[in-house]
Amino acid sequence: MAFITAATQVQTRGFMRHCRQFHVIGKVQGVSFRASTCDQAQALDLKGHVRNLPDGGVEILAYGAPEAVQELAQWLKHGSVDARVDRIIAIDAPVPAALSDEFVILNCSA
């Protein structure tokens, strides 16, 4: 499995925050990957979203403490029980102006 990574750190309210976007490729749709990712991200107190992509992959935007973002990145290598992760691409992501106050599941990206 390839893991390509780059990260953006920003200072928010005196705390260092990390924002990273992941594109997960493999058998990640129809296997509770989004729900499991959302549960994991919420447990790590991350903000952002997860959504299916038309190419069969899943996109995750995660924002929070650098250690929590890194822990989610490690979890994504395995994902949900029935998932098969072949590749993860992680890129720098600016903090969106309309970032949710929680981690949510979005509808499929068109």
Side-chain angles (χ1 to χ4, degrees):
M1 170 182 50
F3 189 74
I4 303 166
T5 185
T8 299
Q9 291 191 11
V10 294
Q11 191 84 16
T12 304
R13 296 185 203 134
F15 296 100
M16 190 60 72
R17 295 287 181 238
H18 219 67
C19 191
R20 193 178 280 177
Q21 183 177 16
F22 301 91
H23 184 166
V24 183
I25 301 161
K27 181 184 172 191
V28 292
Q29 291 190 15
V31 292
S32 299
F33 192 87
R34 288 181 305 156
S36 296
T37 300
C38 189
D39 290 345
Q40 184 70 20
Q42 288 173 348
L44 293 167
D45 197 29
L46 293 171
K47 313 300 181 222
H49 67 258
V50 58
R51 67 176 158 194
N52 285 341
L53 297 172
D55 68 2
V58 171
E59 174 194 84
I60 298 103
L61 180 71
Y63 171 74
E67 303 81 22
V69 174
Q70 184 58 36
E71 191 170 331
L72 180 67
Q74 293 300 316
W75 182 87
L76 289 172
K77 292 179 181 182
H78 312 284
S80 61
V81 174
D82 294 325
R84 185 195 73 245
V85 176
D86 296 331
R87 185 171 181 210
I88 300 172
I89 301 169
I91 60 171
D92 291 344
V95 179
L99 186 66
S100 173
D101 285 341
E102 57 188 7
F103 199 93
V104 296
I105 298 173
L106 299 179
N107 290 329
C108 184
S109 171

